[in-house]
Amino acid sequence: LFLVPAGIINETHEPPAFYGVERNPIEKDIIPATWWAGGVSLLGELGYGFSYDLAVHEGLKTSAANQYKVRAGRQFTSEAVAKDPAITGRLKWTGMPGVEIAGTIQHQTNMTQSSDPTAGSANLYELHGIVNKGPFGLKALYARWNLDGSGPAAIGADKQYGWYIEPAFRINEQWGLFARYNEWDNRAGINGNTRKQQTDFGVNYWPHPDVVLKADYQIQDNDDGKNQDGFNLGVGYQF
């Protein structure tokens, strides 16, 4: 049982490790963090700052009923249908202090575990970069799914993508400020505006390295006109 090596938050998802009360929507609806799987994983170092991960594991199980949304396909291992497994590979470079660049590719032989004859294989492509220099930080991530089959294509779910950029400033060991722009679409293959956009800005306060208090404000523009603007307050800890 392991965390799928994709994105930034999935493997390090404890609240003190990221900005904002809620996880960014890209690593929620496109990379469905927290996303774990049962399988076999191999990892190692290649030298010159390069490392790799290669895993074979249970895949997702989406369906037409949930519009082939990625997050709805998580199986949580204990009762997972593993008829059609997934293969995930990641290459990561950390050859410069404070810098990480990584990319992940995943292939799944059938996104519905062969339960839907109108759906087929799926591929995930993800690329991200992290830069931390002194008090300044920057994160950027892009992820995209391509789903085969007439079922996903009929509702535009054959293409699902998202990206965000997040600058941050660490005032001291206890206080940090951030802003983030997010854009994502779980039905990007259909004609029309199904894209969602969200801007977040806020503050983190760490009274202890393992404890964080968070406050942020979000401005979200939804395709259905039901915008979700408002503020979030949260307390997080890790142990």
Side-chain angles (χ1 to χ4, degrees):
L1 185 68
F2 54 87
L3 295 162
V4 177
I8 298 173
I9 283 181
N10 197 50
E11 293 180 293
T12 309
H13 54 260
E14 290 75 18
F18 63 89
Y19 282 102
V21 177
E22 301 288 346
R23 297 171 184 173
N24 70 80
I26 316 309
E27 295 186 269
K28 177 183 176 182
D29 292 329
I30 306 299
I31 300 173
T34 303
W35 181 15
W36 68 86
V40 178
S41 178
L42 179 68
L43 60 155
E45 303 288 338
L46 298 172
Y48 302 101
F50 287 97
S51 61
Y52 69 89
D53 297 82
L54 182 62
V56 179
H57 52 87
E58 73 194 54
L60 300 171
K61 186 183 179 184
T62 61
S63 68
N66 57 43
Q67 298 184 321
Y68 304 100
K69 289 183 178 179
V70 177
R71 188 168 186 82
R74 297 180 302 170
Q75 299 198 78
F76 306 113
T77 302
S78 62
E79 298 179 358
V81 178
K83 182 177 181 179
D84 297 291
I87 301 173
T88 301
R90 178 178 65 182
L91 182 65
K92 181 166 64 175
W93 184 77
T94 54
M96 182 181 298
V99 177
E100 174 182 309
I101 300 173
T104 293
I105 296 176
Q106 181 181 116
H107 175 74
Q108 185 163 322
T109 52
N110 191 293
M111 197 69 161
T112 68
Q113 298 297 320
S114 298
S115 63
D116 183 347
T118 69
S121 63
N123 294 298
L124 166 67
Y125 306 96
E126 181 270 331
L127 179 67
H128 71 259
I130 304 171
V131 179
N132 291 304
K133 293 294 183 182
F136 296 98
L138 181 66
K139 294 179 180 179
L141 180 145
Y142 177 85
R144 178 186 182 92
W145 281 95
N146 292 334
L147 279 64
D148 291 334
S150 60
I155 61 170
D158 54 324
K159 294 180 175 60
Q160 304 183 37
Y161 81 94
W163 65 274
Y164 73 85
I165 185 167
E166 180 189 288
F169 182 79
R170 192 71 180 255
I171 300 172
N172 52 38
E173 291 186 358
Q174 292 182 305
W175 291 94
L177 306 173
F178 85 99
R180 183 171 60 239
Y181 175 78
N182 317 265
E183 184 176 304
W184 73 104
D185 194 338
N186 288 101
R187 298 179 64 193
I190 197 171
N191 292 327
N193 182 21
T194 54
R195 180 181 59 182
K196 294 180 172 62
Q197 299 168 293
Q198 181 174 306
T199 302
D200 307 86
F201 52 90
V203 59
N204 278 19
Y205 170 65
W206 292 269
H208 182 277
D210 294 331
V211 180
V212 64
L213 284 75
K214 304 182 179 187
D216 62 66
Y217 190 84
Q218 73 175 38
I219 303 169
Q220 185 182 117
D221 296 324
N222 287 335
D223 58 298
D224 58 6
K226 298 178 181 179
N227 300 333
Q228 297 181 17
D229 300 346
F231 65 89
N232 302 298
L233 300 173
V235 178
Y237 66 94
Q238 62 185 9
F239 58 92

